[in-house]
Amino acid sequence: MKKITKETYLKWYADMLFWRKFEDKLAAVYIQQKVRGFLHLYNGQEAVLAGALHAMDLSKDRMITAYRNHVQPIGMGVDPKMVMAELFGKVTGTSKGMGGSMHIFSKEHRFHGGHGIVGGQIPLGAGMAFGDKYAGRDNVTLCYMGDGAVRQGSLHETFNLAMLWQLPVVFICENNGYAMGTSVARTSFSTEIWKLGLGYEMPCGPVDGMNPVTVAQEMSKAIERARSGGGPTFLEMKTYRYRGHSMSDAQHYRTKDEVEEYKKIDPITQVLDIIKENNYATDAEIKDIDKNVKVMVKECEKFAEESDYPPINQLYDMVYEQEDFPFVEHKF
């Protein structure tokens, strides 16, 4: 694994704080109806992404996930202004305003969505890994899912083929305790989700998903196994979300005390504590990071606000172009 240094912790703190504040801003503008549709926030789960990015080779590895997908592309290198603009439905967004909250996408940075169908990304992730193996590339695909998605039959079909073909893919279940508003214990006889890998003799295990160090360690092992031809891994990241499933979630299924208890192990606070304990940064330097994060979020909002909505003809530009079907003029 790449060494975890002072610079790593400072980057983790700056990145995770930015992701958190970026989405806090999204929550605020959603209430103002500047962002429409559904909005699923990542607050509390940032360590899962921070640790994974430390283990990845961003020059070639891929990522695919479900609809809680705003900060992952930012971590992969997508301009956060474009992500914010996409959520605002503006033409300067990652998909020219046509994808919205649940469908952020960047081919350039190997982030393949944002998928609204529960579990729909699981076979797609394996398919991308198959393509890399078929073409002789040593890329690795990270395929994320929520705890609710593991109830889908497509997961089992995918696991079987991934092991049969020894695909270079890492499957990651972000178990935040609740599939929408239903706890894992109410929908699954076995609450140890990682054990699903045992039925396919797939390397698997649980990971503390609130700590980027443990995430980085286990992800590094899984990515190296995949890259070296050792096949897939299934990791259950035990994490927690501080906000509801989406902005329309009243959260009647859990208490405020439960949320506050999990905030005691907030990944951002954990990293900040280590920075302070080891004197990696002075109080003034930490304040500078905090200030810079606020400025960056404000710049993203300003960019999104001032961008134009897509022109109406773009509706025709975003459909498949067929040469022998000339009835709709293609203008894109």
Side-chain angles (χ1 to χ4, degrees):
M1 185 181 75
K2 287 180 284 189
K3 192 173 181 181
I4 297 175
T5 63
K6 163 188 170 180
E7 288 71 30
T8 307
Y9 278 106
L10 290 172
K11 178 172 172 51
W12 278 345
Y13 176 67
D15 285 350
M16 291 195 295
L17 184 63
F18 175 69
W19 301 336
R20 180 75 59 87
K21 296 301 181 183
F22 183 91
E23 290 207 315
D24 285 346
K25 174 56 68 175
L26 289 177
V29 295
Y30 185 87
I31 293 170
Q32 299 169 23
Q33 296 189 345
K34 293 177 181 178
V35 171
R36 303 298 184 94
F38 292 101
L39 186 68
H40 307 84
L41 303 178
Y42 206 62
N43 295 40
Q45 301 181 210
E46 292 91 352
V48 178
L49 176 59
L53 292 172
H54 184 76
M56 296 173 70
D57 183 339
L58 294 180
S59 70
K60 56 187 175 183
D61 292 340
R62 311 175 189 279
M63 187 180 290
I64 186 170
T65 188
Y67 40 76
R68 204 177 298 277
N69 73 136
H70 311 133
V71 299
Q72 293 92 336
I74 296 172
M76 295 283 285
V78 177
D79 186 340
K81 293 188 183 74
M82 294 179 65
V83 176
M84 182 78 78
E86 184 61 36
L87 282 141
F88 273 64
K90 298 299 183 72
V91 73
T92 53
T94 52
S95 297
K96 300 187 181 296
M98 305 293 282
S101 170
M102 296 198 288
H103 306 286
I104 310 297
F105 188 93
S106 174
K107 182 180 179 181
E108 177 189 356
H109 293 94
R110 291 163 295 283
F111 182 75
H112 302 275
H115 294 266
I117 302 299
V118 175
Q121 76 280 8
I122 300 173
L124 297 179
M128 290 192 296
F130 176 84
D132 284 332
K133 182 169 183 175
Y134 187 83
R137 298 184 288 261
D138 68 342
N139 307 347
V140 175
T141 297
L142 274 59
C143 180
Y144 288 84
M145 68 205 76
D147 47 275
V150 301
R151 253 55 92 193
Q152 294 288 339
S154 59
L155 175 132
H156 299 275
E157 295 173 348
T158 301
F159 276 17
N160 181 54
L161 289 175
M163 283 300 291
L164 185 65
W165 296 332
Q166 290 291 282
L167 300 181
V169 57
V170 182
F171 298 106
I172 305 109
C173 173
E174 294 181 286
N175 181 4
N176 57 33
Y178 299 97
M180 294 186 69
T182 306
S183 69
V184 174
R186 291 186 64 192
T187 59
S188 177
F189 179 75
S190 173
T191 57
E192 295 296 314
I193 292 174
W194 63 270
K195 291 183 178 179
L196 290 173
L198 297 175
Y200 302 92
E201 299 183 25
M202 184 185 296
C204 54
V207 182
D208 176 6
M210 301 298 279
N211 186 337
V213 176
T214 56
V215 174
Q217 289 170 340
E218 296 306 315
M219 287 297 299
S220 293
K221 295 175 190 174
I223 289 172
E224 177 55 33
R225 180 184 295 120
R227 205 183 307 282
S228 61
T233 301
F234 179 46
L235 298 175
E236 178 192 353
M237 300 288 172
K238 294 180 180 290
T239 184
Y240 197 81
R241 53 172 165 80
Y242 297 139
R243 290 184 178 270
H245 172 73
S246 69
M247 286 294 289
S248 59
D249 180 2
Q251 305 182 60
H252 295 310
Y253 49 85
R254 63 181 181 180
T255 65
K256 290 182 179 179
D257 289 343
E258 177 185 306
V259 178
E260 291 304 314
E261 194 64 27
Y262 274 97
K263 284 185 177 179
K264 294 177 182 178
I265 55 170
D266 189 320
I268 298 175
T269 304
Q270 288 192 57
V271 168
L272 182 57
D273 287 344
I274 291 171
I275 290 172
K276 290 180 176 180
E277 288 167 12
N278 292 277
N279 297 313
Y280 288 158
T282 64
D283 289 342
E285 289 170 334
I286 292 169
K287 284 183 179 178
D288 283 342
I289 293 173
D290 297 350
K291 184 179 179 180
N292 186 50
V293 162
K294 288 180 181 177
V295 170
M296 289 170 61
V297 171
K298 201 166 187 177
E299 288 174 350
C300 291
E301 182 186 18
K302 185 174 185 291
F303 177 81
E305 287 271 19
E306 294 178 353
S307 295
D308 294 326
Y309 286 105
I312 193 68
N313 68 293
Q314 187 173 288
L315 287 169
Y316 301 104
D317 297 338
M318 294 298 179
V319 295
Y320 179 71
E321 184 175 18
Q322 185 174 325
E323 290 183 5
D324 60 351
F325 191 86
F327 306 106
V328 176
E329 185 180 352
H330 187 76
K331 302 174 183 175
F332 186 57

